[in-house]
Amino acid sequence: MAQKESLKEVFKNDFLIGTALNSFQIQQKDTAANRLVLQHFNAITPENSMKATHLHPQWDKYNFTLSDQLVAYGRQHNIKINGHTLIWHSQLPAYVKNLNNADSLKQYMKDHISTLAGHYKGKVFSWDVVNEALEGDGSLRKSIFLKLLGDDYIIDAFRLTQQAAPDAELYYNDYNIEGLTKRRAAIALIKKIQAAGVRIDGIGVQGHWAAVHVPLADIEQSIQEFSALGIKVMFTELDLTVLPSPYKRDVVDVSQRTLPNTPATNPWPNGLPDFKQAELSKSYEDLFKLFLKYKDKIGRITFWGVHDGQSWLNNFPIAGRTNYPLLFDRSYQPKPAFYAVIATHHR
Ligand code: G3I
């Protein structure tokens, strides 16, 4: 049965509420999920279909079919679209990964950005222009872009997008940038883009956290520091894992290449116990209280998926686990965390 309260309605004066759509949902084949999308969300991000491997599989070949469907769906239902993502080291087709000279990579970047951003000019509300360009230690990621083009490829990517889609908002998107080391690096990066006279409108903090410990103090600090740069803050890929991290020494040896799916690493294949459900709700509640406190600085909160069954966290970092990171369960029903989030607004 459909619940009465709608996330997008409840938070309509605060920030956009987004979700990520997979290919079935874009094609409207996951009808129960599509009902939830229309009821609760006013922003969508394609989970995969605008990535280079999908959209630009060969030098001269673009596959717009699926992302055109996403854009048409969004426009039909008055849902804002965030394009994800133009320049990313991952999900790059082999013909790009194998390039060995700066001129060719520059040409790729120019063609890729002007074709995608141009194709969706006036239709896509915002672009994640550059994704995950920072390493954990705050240095620039040693991607093919950095190696062949040098530090300024990021400024160039923003400049090219600005030219091709002058009315789209332009964002830098990354994970763990709420933490001190990457936060400082992201701030330096944004200042550098601004100093070059190139537009950047916002920063996307991905928000892949663990329910057992959401870094609230870091998140608050990062909202303050990022917004002080004169840009909007977005939480772009929110989900809270409830499963044990295999990277802890007591669970599994990190040197193992294939991480085992065992009762210890996948403890709740048949349903989340009440104490974990309560932990998830409390973490979401704390987060949304914080988001509301800074609603004038936050543009959008996007969940990375509509319901638990589709989450990438069922397959990462161990394949075939049963995770419960979102607000709707595998039967498309709102979880206690959903009601906890709604209640933050009514206090
Ligand atoms: O489409 C192929 C399919 O044809 C094939 O049969 C199947 C077999 O593995 O793979 C399918 O591709 C998978 C794709 O998801 C679509 O399901 C890829 O293997 C898989 O690697 C890919 O994972 C995505 C991942 O990004 C890598 O692009 C996840 O769904 C997606 O949730 C995840 O999203 C990223 C954000 O873009 C950036 N931030 C981190 C976030 C989580 O990793």
Side-chain angles (χ1 to χ4, degrees), residues 237-299:
E237 305 183 13
L238 181 58
D239 50 23
L240 302 181
T241 181
V242 297
L243 296 183
S245 166
Y247 298 123
K248 283 186 198 137
R249 272 173 181 274
D250 54 337
V251 179
V252 73
D253 180 353
V254 287
S255 63
Q256 277 181 243
R257 283 181 63 84
T258 311
L259 299 169
N261 181 337
T262 65
T265 59
N266 187 27
W268 303 298
N270 302 314
L272 197 59
D274 289 349
F275 81 98
K276 286 303 282 187
Q277 198 78 264
E279 178 184 278
L280 182 72
S281 301
K282 174 75 169 67
S283 294
Y284 268 119
E285 179 185 331
D286 291 345
L287 259 178
F288 271 77
K289 280 185 188 160
L290 185 62
F291 294 155
L292 283 172
K293 181 173 169 191
Y294 291 97
K295 61 184 183 182
D296 57 324
K297 308 197 179 322
I298 296 177

Side-chain angles (χ1 to χ4, degrees), residues 47-48 51 54 84-85 88 90-91 131-132 173 175 206 208 237 304 312:
E47 187 177 0
N48 289 303
K51 292 174 181 173
H54 297 259
H84 175 80
T85 172
W88 188 27
S90 182
Q91 303 296 99
N131 195 42
E132 302 173 3
N173 192 56
Y175 57 86
Q206 292 187 2
H208 298 294
E237 305 183 13
W304 204 238
W312 72 293

Side-chain angles (χ1 to χ4, degrees), residues 87-108:
I87 298 297
W88 188 27
H89 67 282
S90 182
Q91 303 296 99
L92 262 187
Y95 76 88
V96 187
K97 279 195 250 173
N98 295 336
L99 291 176
N100 57 16
N101 68 86
D103 285 348
S104 303
L105 187 59
K106 241 187 192 147
Q107 191 62 46
Y108 162 80

Side-chain angles (χ1 to χ4, degrees), residues 208-219:
H208 298 294
W209 294 307
V212 69
H213 174 68
V214 178
L216 291 170
D218 277 344
I219 297 168

Side-chain angles (χ1 to χ4, degrees), residues 314-347:
N314 294 306
N315 289 306
F316 185 89
I318 297 177
R321 293 200 295 179
T322 307
N323 212 330
Y324 305 82
L326 298 166
L327 300 187
F328 296 95
D329 67 19
R330 288 173 165 69
S331 310
Y332 305 89
Q333 297 305 307
K335 293 156 64 175
F338 168 87
Y339 296 104
V341 164
I342 296 277
T344 58
H345 198 273
H346 300 327
R347 272 165 219 278

